Coordinates of all heavy atoms in Angstrom, one line a residue:
M262 N -160.8 99.7 127.5 CA -159.6 99.4 126.6 C -158.7 100.7 126.5 O -157.5 100.6 126.8 CB -160.2 99.2 125.2 CG -159.9 97.8 124.6 SD -158.7 96.9 125.3 CE -157.6 96.4 124.0
R263 N -159.3 101.7 126.1 CA -158.6 103.0 125.9 C -157.9 103.4 127.2 O -156.7 103.8 127.3 CB -159.6 104.1 125.4 CG -158.9 104.8 124.2 CD -159.8 106.1 124.1 NE -158.9 107.1 123.7 CZ -158.8 107.5 122.4 NH1 -159.6 107.0 121.5 NH2 -158.0 108.5 122.0
I264 N -158.7 103.3 128.3 CA -158.2 103.8 129.6 C -157.0 103.0 130.1 O -156.0 103.4 130.6 CB -159.3 103.9 130.7 CG1 -158.8 104.6 132.0 CG2 -159.8 102.5 131.0 CD1 -158.9 106.1 131.8
T265 N -157.0 101.6 129.7 CA -156.0 100.8 130.1 C -154.7 101.2 129.4 O -153.7 101.4 130.0 CB -156.3 99.3 129.7 OG1 -157.6 99.1 130.0 CG2 -155.3 98.3 130.3
F266 N -154.9 101.5 128.1 CA -153.7 101.9 127.4 C -153.1 103.3 128.0 O -151.9 103.3 128.2 CB -154.2 102.2 126.0 CG -153.1 102.6 125.0 CD1 -152.1 101.7 124.7 CD2 -153.0 103.9 124.6 CE1 -151.1 102.1 123.9 CE2 -152.0 104.3 123.7 CZ -151.0 103.3 123.3
V267 N -154.0 104.2 128.3 CA -153.6 105.4 128.9 C -152.8 105.2 130.2 O -151.7 105.8 130.5 CB -154.7 106.4 129.1 CG1 -154.3 107.6 129.9 CG2 -155.3 106.9 127.8
L268 N -153.4 104.3 130.9 CA -152.7 103.9 132.3 C -151.3 103.3 132.1 O -150.4 103.6 132.8 CB -153.6 103.0 133.1 CG -154.7 103.6 133.9 CD1 -155.6 102.6 134.6 CD2 -154.0 104.5 134.9
I269 N -151.2 102.5 131.0 CA -149.9 101.8 130.8 C -148.9 102.9 130.4 O -147.8 103.0 131.0 CB -150.0 100.9 129.7 CG1 -150.7 99.6 130.2 CG2 -148.6 100.4 129.1 CD1 -151.2 98.6 129.1
I270 N -149.2 103.8 129.5 CA -148.4 104.8 129.2 C -148.0 105.7 130.3 O -146.9 106.1 130.5 CB -149.1 105.8 128.0 CG1 -149.3 105.0 126.8 CG2 -148.3 107.0 127.7 CD1 -148.0 104.6 126.0
L271 N -149.0 106.0 131.2 CA -148.7 106.9 132.3 C -147.8 106.2 133.3 O -146.8 106.9 133.8 CB -150.1 107.1 133.1 CG -150.7 108.5 132.9 CD1 -151.9 108.6 133.6 CD2 -149.7 109.6 133.3
S272 N -148.0 104.9 133.6 CA -147.1 104.3 134.5 C -145.7 104.2 133.9 O -144.7 104.3 134.7 CB -147.7 103.0 134.9 OG -147.9 102.2 133.8
W273 N -145.6 103.9 132.6 CA -144.3 103.9 132.0 C -143.5 105.2 132.2 O -142.3 105.3 132.5 CB -144.4 103.6 130.5 CG -143.0 103.6 129.8 CD1 -142.1 102.6 129.8 CD2 -142.6 104.8 129.2 NE1 -141.0 103.0 129.2 CE2 -141.2 104.4 128.8 CE3 -143.0 106.0 128.9 CZ2 -140.4 105.2 128.0 CZ3 -142.1 106.9 128.1 CH2 -140.8 106.5 127.8
Y274 N -144.3 106.3 131.9 CA -143.8 107.6 132.1 C -143.2 107.9 133.5 O -142.2 108.4 133.6 CB -144.9 108.7 131.7 CG -144.3 110.0 131.5 CD1 -143.7 110.3 130.4 CD2 -144.7 111.0 132.5 CE1 -143.1 111.7 130.2 CE2 -144.3 112.3 132.4 CZ -143.4 112.6 131.2 OH -143.0 113.9 131.1
V275 N -144.1 107.5 134.5 CA -143.7 107.7 135.8 C -142.4 106.9 136.1 O -141.5 107.3 136.8 CB -144.9 107.3 136.8 CG1 -144.3 107.2 138.3 CG2 -145.9 108.3 136.6
W276 N -142.4 105.6 135.6 CA -141.3 104.8 135.9 C -140.0 105.4 135.2 O -139.0 105.5 135.8 CB -141.5 103.5 135.3 CG -140.4 102.5 135.3 CD1 -139.9 101.8 136.4 CD2 -139.4 102.3 134.2 NE1 -138.7 101.1 136.0 CE2 -138.4 101.4 134.7 CE3 -139.3 102.7 132.9 CZ2 -137.4 101.0 133.9 CZ3 -138.3 102.3 132.1 CH2 -137.4 101.3 132.7
A277 N -140.1 105.8 134.0 CA -139.0 106.4 133.2 C -138.4 107.6 133.9 O -137.2 107.8 134.0 CB -139.4 106.8 131.8
C278 N -139.3 108.4 134.5 CA -138.8 109.7 135.1 C -138.2 109.5 136.5 O -137.4 110.2 136.9 CB -140.0 110.7 135.2 SG -140.4 111.4 133.6
S279 N -138.6 108.4 137.0 CA -138.2 108.1 138.4 C -136.8 107.3 138.4 O -136.3 107.0 139.4 CB -139.2 107.4 139.3 OG -139.5 106.1 138.7
A280 N -136.5 106.9 137.3 CA -135.2 106.1 137.2 C -134.1 107.0 137.6 O -134.0 108.2 137.3 CB -134.9 105.7 135.7
P281 N -133.2 106.5 138.5 CA -132.3 107.3 139.1 C -131.3 108.2 138.2 O -131.2 109.4 138.4 CB -131.3 106.4 139.9 CG -131.7 105.0 139.4 CD -133.1 105.1 138.9
E282 N -131.0 107.6 137.1 CA -130.3 108.4 136.1 C -130.9 108.2 134.8 O -130.8 107.0 134.2 CB -128.8 108.0 136.0 CG -127.9 109.0 136.7 CD -126.4 108.4 136.7 OE1 -126.2 107.3 137.1 OE2 -125.5 109.2 136.2
S283 N -131.6 109.2 134.2 CA -132.3 108.9 133.0 C -131.3 108.7 131.8 O -131.6 107.9 130.9 CB -133.2 110.0 132.6 OG -132.6 111.2 132.8
K284 N -130.1 109.2 131.8 CA -129.1 109.0 130.8 C -127.8 108.7 131.4 O -127.0 109.6 131.7 CB -129.0 110.3 130.0 CG -128.9 110.1 128.5 CD -128.8 111.5 127.8 CE -128.8 111.4 126.3 NZ -128.5 112.8 125.8
P285 N -127.7 107.4 131.8 CA -126.4 107.0 132.4 C -125.2 107.1 131.5 O -125.3 106.8 130.3 CB -126.6 105.6 132.8 CG -127.7 105.1 131.8 CD -128.5 106.3 131.5
Q286 N -124.2 107.9 131.9 CA -123.0 108.1 131.1 C -121.9 107.1 131.6 O -121.1 107.5 132.4 CB -122.5 109.4 131.2 CG -123.2 110.4 130.2 CD -122.2 111.5 129.6 OE1 -121.3 111.9 130.4 NE2 -122.2 111.7 128.5
T287 N -122.0 105.9 131.1 CA -120.9 105.0 131.4 C -119.7 105.1 130.4 O -119.8 105.2 129.3 CB -121.4 103.5 131.4 OG1 -122.2 103.3 130.3 CG2 -122.2 103.2 132.7
I288 N -118.5 105.2 131.0 CA -117.3 105.3 130.3 C -116.8 103.9 130.2 O -116.5 103.2 131.2 CB -116.3 106.2 131.0 CG1 -116.9 107.6 131.0 CG2 -115.0 106.2 130.3 CD1 -116.0 108.6 131.7
S289 N -116.6 103.4 129.0 CA -116.2 102.0 128.8 C -114.7 102.1 128.2 O -114.5 102.6 127.1 CB -117.1 101.3 127.8 OG -116.5 100.2 127.3
G290 N -113.8 101.5 129.0 CA -112.4 101.5 128.5 C -112.3 100.7 127.2 O -111.5 101.0 126.3
V291 N -113.0 99.6 127.1 CA -112.9 98.7 125.9 C -113.4 99.5 124.7 O -112.7 99.4 123.7 CB -113.9 97.5 126.0 CG1 -113.6 96.5 125.0 CG2 -113.9 96.9 127.4
E292 N -114.5 100.2 124.8 CA -115.0 101.0 123.7 C -114.0 102.0 123.2 O -113.8 102.3 122.0 CB -116.3 101.7 124.0 CG -117.5 100.7 124.2 CD -117.6 99.8 123.0 OE1 -117.6 100.3 121.8 OE2 -117.8 98.6 123.2
I293 N -113.4 102.8 124.2 CA -112.4 103.8 123.8 C -111.2 103.1 123.2 O -110.7 103.6 122.2 CB -112.0 104.6 125.1 CG1 -113.2 105.2 125.8 CG2 -110.9 105.5 124.8 CD1 -113.0 105.8 127.1
Y294 N -110.8 102.0 123.7 CA -109.7 101.3 123.2 C -110.0 100.9 121.7 O -109.1 101.1 120.9 CB -109.3 100.1 124.0 CG -108.1 99.4 123.5 CD1 -106.8 99.8 123.9 CD2 -108.1 98.4 122.5 CE1 -105.6 99.2 123.5 CE2 -107.0 97.8 122.1 CZ -105.7 98.2 122.5 OH -104.6 97.6 122.1
K295 N -111.1 100.4 121.5 CA -111.5 99.9 120.1 C -111.5 101.1 119.1 O -111.1 100.9 118.0 CB -113.0 99.4 120.1 CG -113.0 97.9 120.6 CD -114.3 97.3 120.2 CE -114.8 96.4 121.1 NZ -116.3 96.2 121.2
T296 N -112.0 102.3 119.6 CA -112.0 103.4 118.7 C -110.7 104.1 118.5 O -110.5 104.7 117.4 CB -113.2 104.4 119.0 OG1 -113.1 104.6 120.4 CG2 -114.5 103.8 118.7
R297 N -109.9 104.2 119.6 CA -108.7 105.1 119.5 C -107.4 104.4 119.5 O -106.4 105.0 119.1 CB -108.7 105.9 120.8 CG -109.9 106.7 121.2 CD -110.0 107.9 120.3 NE -111.1 108.8 120.7 CZ -111.4 109.9 120.2 NH1 -110.6 110.4 119.3 NH2 -112.5 110.6 120.6
C298 N -107.3 103.1 120.0 CA -106.0 102.5 120.1 C -105.7 101.3 119.2 O -104.6 101.0 118.9 CB -105.8 102.1 121.6 SG -106.6 103.2 122.8
V299 N -106.8 100.6 118.7 CA -106.6 99.5 117.9 C -105.9 99.7 116.6 O -105.1 98.8 116.3 CB -108.1 98.9 117.6 CG1 -108.1 97.9 116.5 CG2 -108.7 98.3 118.8
T300 N -106.1 100.9 116.1 CA -105.3 101.1 114.8 C -103.8 100.9 114.9 O -103.2 100.4 113.9 CB -105.6 102.6 114.4 OG1 -105.7 103.4 115.5 CG2 -106.8 102.7 113.5
C301 N -103.2 101.2 116.0 CA -101.8 101.0 116.2 C -101.5 99.7 117.1 O -100.5 99.0 116.8 CB -101.1 102.1 116.8 SG -101.2 103.6 115.8
H302 N -102.2 99.5 118.1 CA -102.0 98.4 119.1 C -102.6 97.1 118.8 O -102.2 96.1 119.3 CB -102.2 99.0 120.5 CG -101.3 100.0 121.0 ND1 -100.0 99.8 121.4 CD2 -101.5 101.4 121.2 CE1 -99.5 100.9 121.7 NE2 -100.3 101.9 121.6
G303 N -103.7 97.2 118.0 CA -104.4 96.0 117.7 C -105.4 95.6 118.9 O -105.1 96.0 120.0
T304 N -106.3 94.7 118.6 CA -107.3 94.3 119.6 C -106.6 93.7 120.8 O -107.1 93.9 122.0 CB -108.4 93.3 119.0 OG1 -107.7 92.5 118.2 CG2 -109.5 94.1 118.4
D305 N -105.6 92.9 120.6 CA -104.9 92.2 121.7 C -103.8 93.0 122.2 O -103.0 92.5 123.1 CB -104.6 90.8 121.3 CG -103.6 90.8 120.2 OD1 -103.2 91.9 119.7 OD2 -103.1 89.7 119.8
G306 N -103.5 94.2 121.6 CA -102.4 95.0 122.2 C -101.0 94.6 121.6 O -100.0 95.2 121.9
R307 N -101.1 93.6 120.6 CA -99.8 93.2 120.1 C -99.5 93.4 118.7 O -98.6 92.9 118.0 CB -99.7 91.6 120.2 CG -99.6 91.2 121.7 CD -99.2 89.8 121.7 NE -99.3 89.2 123.1 CZ -98.3 89.4 123.9 NH1 -97.1 90.0 123.7 NH2 -98.3 89.0 125.2
M308 N -100.3 94.3 118.1 CA -100.0 94.5 116.6 C -98.8 95.3 116.3 O -98.2 95.0 115.3 CB -101.2 95.5 116.1 CG -101.3 95.3 114.6 SD -102.9 95.7 113.9 CE -102.9 97.5 114.1
G309 N -98.4 96.2 117.1 CA -97.1 96.8 116.9 C -97.0 97.7 115.7 O -95.9 97.8 115.2
M310 N -98.1 98.2 115.2 CA -98.0 99.1 114.1 C -97.3 100.3 114.4 O -97.3 100.9 115.5 CB -99.5 99.5 113.7 CG -99.6 100.2 112.4 SD -99.1 99.1 111.1 CE -100.7 98.9 110.2
N311 N -96.4 100.8 113.4 CA -95.6 102.0 113.7 C -94.7 101.9 114.8 O -94.3 102.9 115.5 CB -96.5 103.3 113.7 CG -97.3 103.5 112.6 OD1 -96.8 103.3 111.3 ND2 -98.6 103.8 112.7
G312 N -94.2 100.7 115.2 CA -93.4 100.6 116.3 C -94.1 100.6 117.8 O -93.4 100.9 118.7
A313 N -95.4 100.5 117.7 CA -96.1 100.6 118.9 C -95.7 99.5 119.9 O -95.5 98.4 119.4 CB -97.6 100.5 118.7
K314 N -95.6 99.8 121.1 CA -95.2 98.7 122.0 C -96.2 97.7 122.3 O -97.4 97.9 122.2 CB -94.9 99.4 123.4 CG -93.7 100.3 123.4 CD -92.5 99.5 123.8 CE -91.1 100.1 123.6 NZ -90.8 101.5 123.7
E315 N -95.8 96.4 122.6 CA -96.7 95.4 122.8 C -97.3 95.6 124.2 O -96.6 95.4 125.3 CB -96.1 94.1 122.7 CG -95.6 93.8 121.3 CD -95.5 92.3 120.9 OE1 -95.8 91.4 121.9 OE2 -95.1 92.0 119.8
L316 N -98.5 96.0 124.3 CA -99.2 96.4 125.6 C -99.1 95.4 126.7 O -98.9 95.6 127.8 CB -100.5 97.1 125.4 CG -100.5 98.3 124.6 CD1 -102.0 98.9 124.5 CD2 -99.6 99.4 125.3
P317 N -99.4 94.1 126.3 CA -99.4 93.0 127.3 C -98.1 92.8 128.0 O -98.0 92.3 129.1 CB -99.8 91.8 126.5 CG -100.5 92.3 125.3 CD -99.8 93.6 125.0
D318 N -97.0 93.2 127.3 CA -95.6 93.0 127.9 C -95.1 94.3 128.5 O -94.0 94.3 129.0 CB -94.6 92.6 126.8 CG -95.1 91.3 126.1 OD1 -95.8 90.5 126.8 OD2 -94.7 91.0 124.9
S319 N -95.9 95.3 128.5 CA -95.5 96.6 129.0 C -95.2 96.5 130.5 O -96.0 96.0 131.3 CB -96.5 97.7 128.8 OG -96.1 98.8 129.4
P320 N -94.0 97.0 130.9 CA -93.7 97.1 132.4 C -94.3 98.3 133.1 O -94.1 98.4 134.3 CB -92.1 97.1 132.4 CG -91.8 97.8 131.0 CD -92.9 97.5 130.1
L321 N -94.9 99.2 132.3 CA -95.4 100.4 132.9 C -96.6 100.2 133.7 O -97.4 99.3 133.5 CB -95.8 101.4 131.8 CG -94.7 101.9 130.8 CD1 -95.3 102.9 130.0 CD2 -93.4 102.3 131.6
N322 N -96.6 100.8 134.9 CA -97.7 100.7 135.7 C -98.8 101.8 135.3 O -98.7 102.5 134.3 CB -97.4 100.9 137.2 CG -96.9 102.4 137.5 OD1 -97.3 103.3 136.9 ND2 -96.0 102.6 138.5
A323 N -100.0 101.7 135.9 CA -101.1 102.5 135.5 C -100.8 104.0 135.3 O -101.1 104.7 134.3 CB -102.4 102.3 136.3
A324 N -100.1 104.6 136.4 CA -99.8 106.0 136.4 C -99.0 106.4 135.2 O -99.1 107.4 134.6 CB -99.1 106.4 137.7
Q325 N -97.9 105.5 134.9 CA -97.0 105.8 133.8 C -97.7 105.7 132.5 O -97.4 106.4 131.6 CB -95.8 104.8 133.9 CG -94.9 105.0 135.0 CD -93.9 103.7 135.4 OE1 -94.4 102.7 135.2 NE2 -92.8 104.1 135.6
R326 N -98.6 104.8 132.4 CA -99.4 104.6 131.1 C -100.3 105.9 130.9 O -100.5 106.3 129.8 CB -100.3 103.4 131.2 CG -99.5 102.0 131.1 CD -100.3 100.8 131.1 NE -99.4 99.7 131.3 CZ -99.7 98.5 130.8 NH1 -100.9 98.3 130.2 NH2 -98.9 97.5 131.0
I327 N -100.9 106.3 132.0 CA -101.8 107.5 131.8 C -100.8 108.7 131.4 O -101.3 109.4 130.5 CB -102.3 107.9 133.3 CG1 -103.5 106.9 133.6 CG2 -102.9 109.2 133.3 CD1 -104.0 106.9 135.0
E328 N -99.6 108.8 131.8 CA -98.8 109.8 131.3 C -98.5 109.7 129.9 O -98.7 110.6 129.1 CB -97.4 109.6 132.1 CG -96.3 110.6 131.8 CD -96.6 112.0 132.2 OE1 -97.5 112.1 133.1 OE2 -96.2 113.0 131.7
V329 N -98.3 108.4 129.3 CA -98.0 108.1 127.9 C -99.2 108.5 127.1 O -99.2 109.1 126.1 CB -97.6 106.8 127.7 CG1 -97.5 106.4 126.2 CG2 -96.2 106.4 128.3
V330 N -100.3 108.0 127.5 CA -101.6 108.2 126.9 C -102.1 109.7 126.8 O -102.5 110.2 125.8 CB -102.8 107.4 127.4 CG1 -104.1 107.6 126.7 CG2 -102.4 105.9 127.3
T331 N -101.8 110.4 127.9 CA -102.2 111.8 128.0 C -101.3 112.7 127.1 O -101.8 113.5 126.3 CB -102.1 112.4 129.5 OG1 -102.8 111.5 130.3 CG2 -102.6 113.7 129.6
H332 N -99.9 112.5 127.2 CA -99.1 113.4 126.5 C -98.4 112.8 125.3 O -97.8 113.5 124.6 CB -98.0 113.8 127.5 CG -98.5 114.5 128.7 ND1 -99.2 115.8 128.6 CD2 -98.7 114.2 130.0 CE1 -99.5 116.2 129.8 NE2 -99.2 115.3 130.7
G333 N -98.6 111.5 125.1 CA -98.0 110.9 123.9 C -96.5 110.7 124.1 O -95.9 111.2 125.1
R334 N -95.9 109.9 123.3 CA -94.4 109.6 123.3 C -93.9 109.2 122.0 O -94.5 108.3 121.3 CB -94.2 108.5 124.4 CG -92.9 108.8 125.1 CD -92.7 107.7 126.2 NE -92.6 106.4 125.5 CZ -92.8 105.2 126.1 NH1 -93.1 105.2 127.3 NH2 -92.7 104.0 125.4
N335 N -93.0 109.9 121.4 CA -92.5 109.6 120.1 C -93.7 109.6 119.0 O -94.4 110.5 119.0 CB -91.7 108.3 120.0 CG -90.4 108.4 120.9 OD1 -89.8 109.5 121.0 ND2 -90.1 107.3 121.5
I336 N -93.9 108.4 118.4 CA -95.0 108.5 117.4 C -96.4 108.4 117.9 O -97.3 109.0 117.3 CB -94.8 107.2 116.4 CG1 -93.5 107.2 115.7 CG2 -96.0 107.1 115.4 CD1 -93.2 106.0 114.9
M337 N -96.5 107.9 119.1 CA -97.8 107.8 119.7 C -98.4 109.2 120.1 O -97.6 110.0 120.7 CB -97.7 107.0 121.0 CG -99.1 107.1 121.7 SD -99.5 105.6 122.7 CE -100.7 106.4 123.6
P338 N -99.5 109.6 119.6 CA -100.1 110.9 119.9 C -100.6 110.9 121.4 O -100.9 110.0 121.9 CB -101.3 111.0 118.9 CG -101.7 109.5 118.6 CD -100.5 108.7 118.9
G339 N -100.7 112.2 121.9 CA -101.2 112.3 123.2 C -102.8 112.5 123.0 O -103.2 112.9 121.9
F340 N -103.5 112.1 124.0 CA -104.9 112.0 123.9 C -105.6 113.1 124.8 O -106.8 113.0 124.9 CB -105.5 110.7 124.1 CG -105.3 109.7 123.0 CD1 -104.1 109.0 123.0 CD2 -106.2 109.6 122.0 CE1 -103.9 108.1 121.9 CE2 -106.0 108.7 121.0 CZ -104.8 108.0 120.8
K341 N -104.8 114.1 125.3 CA -105.5 114.9 126.3 C -106.5 115.9 125.7 O -107.4 116.4 126.3 CB -104.5 115.7 127.0 CG -103.7 116.7 126.4 CD -103.0 117.6 127.5 CE -102.2 118.7 126.9 NZ -101.0 118.3 126.1
E342 N -106.4 116.1 124.3 CA -107.4 116.9 123.7 C -108.7 116.2 123.3 O -109.8 116.7 123.1 CB -106.9 117.6 122.3 CG -105.5 118.1 122.4 CD -105.5 119.4 123.2 OE1 -106.4 120.1 123.1 OE2 -104.5 119.7 123.8
M343 N -108.5 114.9 123.2 CA -109.6 114.0 122.7 C -110.3 113.2 123.8 O -111.5 113.0 123.6 CB -109.0 113.0 121.7 CG -108.7 113.6 120.4 SD -107.8 112.3 119.4 CE -106.1 112.9 119.7
L344 N -109.7 113.0 124.8 CA -110.3 112.2 125.9 C -110.2 112.9 127.2 O -109.3 113.6 127.5 CB -109.6 110.8 126.0 CG -109.5 109.9 124.9 CD1 -108.7 108.7 125.2 CD2 -110.9 109.4 124.5
S345 N -111.3 112.7 128.0 CA -111.2 113.2 129.4 C -110.4 112.5 130.3 O -109.9 111.4 129.9 CB -112.8 113.3 130.0 OG -113.1 112.0 130.2
E346 N -110.0 113.0 131.4 CA -109.2 112.2 132.4 C -109.9 110.9 132.7 O -109.1 109.9 132.8 CB -109.0 113.1 133.7 CG -107.8 113.9 133.7 CD -107.6 114.8 135.0 OE1 -107.7 114.2 136.1 OE2 -107.6 116.0 134.8
E347 N -111.1 110.9 132.9 CA -111.7 109.7 133.3 C -111.7 108.6 132.2 O -111.5 107.5 132.4 CB -113.3 109.9 133.5 CG -113.6 110.6 134.9 CD -113.4 112.1 134.8 OE1 -113.5 112.6 133.6 OE2 -113.1 112.7 135.7
E348 N -111.8 109.2 130.9 CA -111.7 108.3 129.7 C -110.3 107.7 129.7 O -110.2 106.5 129.3 CB -112.2 109.0 128.5 CG -113.7 109.2 128.5 CD -114.0 110.2 127.3 OE1 -113.3 111.1 127.0 OE2 -115.1 110.0 126.8
I349 N -109.3 108.5 129.9 CA -107.9 108.0 129.8 C -107.7 107.0 130.9 O -107.2 105.9 130.6 CB -106.9 109.2 130.0 CG1 -107.1 110.1 128.7 CG2 -105.5 108.6 130.1 CD1 -106.2 111.3 128.7
K350 N -108.2 107.2 132.1 CA -108.1 106.3 133.2 C -108.8 105.0 132.8 O -108.2 103.8 133.0 CB -108.7 106.8 134.4 CG -107.7 107.1 135.5 CD -108.3 107.8 136.7 CE -108.7 106.8 137.7 NZ -109.4 107.5 138.8
A351 N -110.0 105.0 132.3 CA -110.7 103.9 131.9 C -110.0 103.0 130.8 O -109.9 101.8 130.9 CB -112.1 104.2 131.4
V352 N -109.4 103.7 129.8 CA -108.8 102.9 128.7 C -107.4 102.3 129.2 O -107.1 101.3 128.9 CB -108.6 103.8 127.4 CG1 -107.5 104.8 127.5 CG2 -108.4 103.0 126.3
V353 N -106.8 103.0 130.2 CA -105.5 102.5 130.7 C -105.9 101.3 131.6 O -105.1 100.3 131.4 CB -104.8 103.6 131.5 CG1 -103.8 103.0 132.4 CG2 -104.0 104.6 130.6
E354 N -106.9 101.4 132.4 CA -107.3 100.2 133.1 C -107.5 99.0 132.3 O -107.2 98.0 132.5 CB -108.5 100.5 134.0 CG -108.2 101.0 135.3 CD -109.3 101.8 136.0 OE1 -110.5 101.3 135.8 OE2 -109.0 102.7 136.8
F355 N -108.1 99.3 131.0 CA -108.4 98.2 130.1 C -107.0 97.6 129.6 O -106.9 96.4 129.5 CB -109.3 98.6 129.0 CG -109.4 97.6 127.9 CD1 -110.1 96.4 128.0 CD2 -108.6 97.8 126.7 CE1 -110.1 95.4 127.1 CE2 -108.6 96.7 125.7 CZ -109.4 95.6 125.9
T356 N -106.1 98.5 129.3 CA -104.8 97.9 128.8 C -104.0 97.1 129.9 O -103.3 96.2 129.5 CB -103.9 99.1 128.3 OG1 -103.5 99.9 129.5 CG2 -104.5 100.0 127.3
M357 N -104.3 97.4 131.2 CA -103.7 96.6 132.2 C -104.2 95.2 132.2 O -103.6 94.3 132.8 CB -104.0 97.2 133.6 CG -103.5 98.6 133.8 SD -101.8 98.9 133.7 CE -101.1 98.2 135.2
T358 N -105.4 95.1 131.6 CA -106.0 93.6 131.6 C -105.6 92.9 130.4 O -105.9 91.6 130.3 CB -107.6 93.6 131.5 OG1 -108.0 94.2 130.3 CG2 -108.2 94.6 132.6
L359 N -104.9 93.4 129.4 CA -104.4 92.7 128.3 C -103.3 91.8 128.6 O -102.4 92.1 129.3 CB -104.0 93.7 127.2 CG -104.9 94.6 126.5 CD1 -104.3 95.7 125.6 CD2 -105.9 93.7 125.7
K360 N -103.5 90.5 128.2 CA -102.4 89.5 128.6 C -101.9 88.9 127.3 O -102.6 88.6 126.4 CB -103.1 88.5 129.4 CG -103.5 88.9 130.8 CD -102.3 88.7 131.8 CE -102.3 89.7 132.9 NZ -103.5 90.0 133.6
Ligands
LIG589 C1 -100.6 106.3 116.0 C2 -100.5 105.0 116.6 C3 -100.9 104.8 118.1 C4 -102.1 105.0 118.6 C5 -103.4 105.5 117.9 C6 -101.9 104.7 120.0 N1 -100.7 104.3 120.2 FE1 -99.9 103.8 122.1 N2 -98.0 103.7 121.2 C7 -97.7 103.9 119.9 C8 -96.3 103.8 119.8 C9 -95.6 104.0 118.6 C10 -95.9 103.5 121.1 C11 -94.3 103.4 121.4 C12 -93.8 104.8 121.8 C13 -92.3 104.9 122.0 O1 -91.6 104.6 121.1 O2 -91.9 105.5 123.0 C14 -96.9 103.4 122.0 C15 -96.8 103.2 123.3 C16 -97.8 103.1 124.2 C17 -97.8 102.8 125.7 C18 -96.4 102.6 126.5 C19 -96.0 101.1 126.4 C20 -94.7 100.9 127.0 O3 -94.5 99.9 127.6 O4 -93.9 101.8 127.0 C21 -99.0 102.7 126.1 C22 -99.4 102.4 127.6 C23 -100.0 102.9 125.0 N3 -99.2 103.2 123.9 C24 -101.3 103.0 125.1 C25 -102.1 103.5 124.1 C26 -103.6 103.7 124.3 C27 -104.4 103.4 125.6 C28 -104.0 104.2 123.2 C29 -105.4 104.6 122.9 C30 -106.0 105.7 123.7 C31 -102.9 104.3 122.2 N4 -101.8 103.8 122.9 C32 -103.0 104.7 120.9 C33 -98.6 104.1 118.9 C34 -99.9 104.4 119.1

């Protein structure tokens, strides 16, 4: 009984350590959007709080959006202090999917 238990723990331990990335750091554009952007743009990008542009109708391409999100524009704050380049890219990619 006891030895079986020990074996299970051992094999779990070996499995856990051999996992390619023990702590995968996935950057989720949706999550970033929910925490940083929803307050002004709303979940569907159409809230328009404080004159925020309706993201689904935005003519800007990804590169131009990255510029706006990084450095801000008028009321919209820049996020370069708060988000990494990868995170900004991820959240911008998410805004491109808003319809
Ligand atoms: C404090 C409110 C606020 C927050 C938070 C905010 N925005 Fe904005 N956003 C605005 C406003 C206001 C504008 C319009 C700026 C202008 O008048 O030039 C805008 C414009 C934009 C534009 C340009 C749209 C266009 O067609 O010109 C994009 C893209 C954008 N926001 C993305 C985001 C993303 C992504 C986030 C989260 C990381 C975010 N915003 C967070 C207020 C906000």
